[in-house]
């Protein structure tokens, strides 16, 4: 029988079977720390060997021993999750000559949105003036802003400008 005259350091306890101080955890736990952790014999638990100093909003992941975002968010299709700021950010986009990039919507927006001639209105999708009239299929708008049929009929058939179908004459 051995006697423990010395107090054991940290969280260690005296094991009278082997007459020495040891961690109360099972001895095999010393080598079972997940990488890159190592066993701290004073605190009797696994710990990061070199604890990084995390800058907000990053927090220490004690299992991986590295700084990371407290949660990962799903971002919109035109955004990505920035692992340094822990926020969704716009993907880089190249805009047309008459457009500018808007950092709030992460989209290209028109620079000039007015100044259309009479009978025309501004289209924010194409950044150009378009006809105020809307052509209903099967009609389409030609370059002069007139609704016309796309079909062409060969004689003896004649184009019906209402239905855009070829009728017998």
């Amino acid at each position: 029988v051995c006697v423990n005259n010395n107090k054991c350091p940290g969280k260690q306890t005296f094991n009278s079977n082997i007459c020495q101080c040891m961690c109360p955890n099972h001895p095999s736990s010393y080598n079972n720390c997940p990488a890159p952790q190592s066993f701290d014999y004073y605190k009797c638990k696994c710990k990061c060997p070199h604890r990084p100093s995390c800058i907000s909003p990053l927090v220490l992941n004690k299992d991986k021993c590295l700084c990371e975002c407290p949660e990962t968010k799903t971002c919109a299709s035109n955004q990505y999750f920035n692992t340094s700021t822990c926020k969704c950010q716009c993907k880089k986009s190249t805009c047309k000559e008459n457009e500018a990039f808007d950092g709030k919507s992460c989209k290209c927006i028109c620079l000039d949105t007015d100044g259309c001639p009479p009978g025309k209105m501004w289209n924010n999708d194409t950044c150009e003036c378009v006809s105020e009239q809307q052509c209903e299929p099967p009609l389409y708008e030609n370059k002069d802003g007139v609704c016309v049929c796309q079909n062409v009929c060969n004689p003896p058939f004649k184009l019906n400008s209402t239905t855009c179908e070829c009728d017998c004459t």
Side-chain angles (χ1 to χ4, degrees):
V1 176
C2 46
V3 177
N4 179 17
N5 293 335
N6 298 329
K7 184 174 166 115
C8 294
K11 300 278 182 176
Q12 292 185 18
T13 56
F14 188 76
N15 183 328
S16 57
N17 293 331
I18 57 171
C19 296
Q20 71 180 42
C21 293
M22 60 183 291
C23 289
N25 306 2
H26 188 274
S28 66
S29 66
Y30 301 162
N31 298 322
N32 285 340
C33 293
Q37 295 183 21
S38 61
F39 196 79
D40 180 333
Y41 289 95
Y42 186 79
K43 293 182 179 178
C44 295
K45 65 179 186 176
C46 296
K47 71 168 194 162
C48 297
H50 304 288
R51 184 179 176 136
S53 178
C54 300
I55 299 169
S56 183
L58 301 177
V59 294
L60 178 67
N61 178 323
K62 292 179 183 175
D63 294 329
K64 297 177 186 175
C65 299
L66 47 86
C67 300
E68 61 185 21
C69 295
E71 61 180 329
T72 304
K73 295 178 181 161
T74 303
C75 302
S77 61
N78 59 346
Q79 297 180 325
Y80 70 96
F81 188 74
N82 183 324
T83 55
S84 298
T85 62
C86 302
K87 293 180 182 177
C88 292
Q89 290 189 296
C90 298
K91 290 179 180 174
K92 296 211 181 214
S93 182
T94 304
C95 299
K96 295 177 193 169
E97 189 176 306
N98 58 343
E99 295 176 331
F101 190 75
D102 177 37
K104 288 185 180 180
S105 66
C106 297
K107 293 180 181 176
C108 294
I109 57 169
C110 304
L111 291 175
D112 185 21
T113 58
D114 56 16
C116 293
K120 300 259 183 179
M121 64 181 185
W122 188 257
N123 181 319
N124 281 322
D125 294 329
T126 62
C127 294
E128 60 188 9
C129 295
V130 296
S131 175
E132 287 181 348
Q133 69 176 352
Q134 298 294 317
C135 299
E136 296 289 327
L139 300 174
Y140 78 97
E141 186 180 340
N142 70 8
K143 63 181 176 160
D144 299 320
V146 178
C147 293
V148 295
C149 295
Q150 190 169 359
N151 289 350
V152 175
C153 300
N154 294 319
F157 299 100
K158 186 176 181 184
L159 182 65
N160 179 326
S161 60
T162 307
T163 63
C164 291
E165 293 179 358
C166 296
D167 293 336
C168 294
T169 53

